[in-house]
Amino acid sequence: MELQFGVLLILVLVVASSGQESCTCATNKWTVCTQDVSGICNCTLVGSNHRVNCSTLTSKCLLMKAEMIPRKGKRFHGPRNGFVDNDGIYNPDCEDSGIFKARQCNQTDTCWCVNTAGIRRTEKGDKSLKCSELVRTSWIYIELKHKKMSSVFEDLEVANALKHLFQNRYKLHPKYVADVKYDSPFIQIRLSQNDFEKSDNDVDIADVAYYFEKDIKDNSLFHSNNTLNVSVNGAALDIEKILIYYVDEKPPEFSASRMIAGVSAVVTVVTLTIVFGVSALVILRWRRTRKYKKVEIKEMGEMRRPTLQLS
């Protein structure tokens, strides 16, 4: 009897373990998933107890937070593109809903304000910095470049293929794909999503852009189907470069001193260039004048010598 019970227990454990192995989050590879007795797969974000809805995209803030957790001696990097973003990586603070907190700070107590895409939109300050609201990124411009091909696609074909991709892979409603322009080998995609038109069930365009960027850079966030394949009428569209710009509902709040400093630097460079250019011209002209004077004196001397010999 005990032997039969032991065999039964082993079988139960084997079935449970096999069920857990098949329990994964299709839309987020940075999750830990377990299957309960009813067969429901429950997934939480790596490094936290935050539940993840695997039927849609995970928010960019939570993904960045999970990516910052070291694994097997490797360091995972956050987004590199900003306004274009050039502030490097950081471990974001997220609301319970998964969106970014308006104010972000690093370990040195340096703080700044971000938009809904997590991109810095103000000067950096200390912890006294106030961020009154989380400003929505309402427009996202995605610029792509594909590899050389033997044939060129039609504009409408490329637009339809990319709209289909965003709708099926990233769950983005077609109404948020404002425009797709194609001028081989360049593609520009405009995503538009205002706060008043976005429902709770709609994915955020900032999350879509983040997933898409990761796919292009061969670092997919999907657990399954993690290889991006874009085809136009059956022909592969091999994208090799991506650049993302973010436009907020309100203009960024960088100080005028920063702009003035940039303008001053340009003015200084231009002024120095003009000064050096004028100086070079003056020196060159002086050398030429001196050379001509030497030649003139030499010629005058040669003209006078015969006269001296005759006298």
Side-chain angles (χ1 to χ4, degrees), residues 147-167:
K147 294 182 180 180
K148 292 182 179 179
M149 301 180 301
S150 57
S151 60
V152 178
F153 299 122
E154 296 292 334
D155 295 6
L156 186 59
E157 295 175 344
V158 174
N160 290 336
L162 289 171
K163 288 179 180 178
H164 183 269
L165 173 73
F166 278 83
Q167 181 178 2

Side-chain angles (χ1 to χ4, degrees), residues 186-232:
F186 301 102
I187 305 170
Q188 186 185 73
I189 306 169
R190 283 195 300 134
L191 305 181
S192 173
Q193 188 180 62
N194 295 316
D195 199 22
F196 65 85
E197 63 181 348
K198 180 184 179 297
S199 68
D200 293 336
N201 295 325
D202 289 333
V203 295
D204 196 288
I205 57 174
D207 301 336
V208 172
Y210 193 61
Y211 268 81
F212 185 50
E213 179 184 13
K214 291 289 187 177
D215 275 341
I216 297 297
K217 295 181 177 180
D218 294 326
N219 188 20
S220 179
L221 295 165
F222 290 97
H223 189 278
S224 57
N225 191 23
N226 56 10
T227 301
L228 179 65
N229 295 310
V230 185
S231 61
V232 180

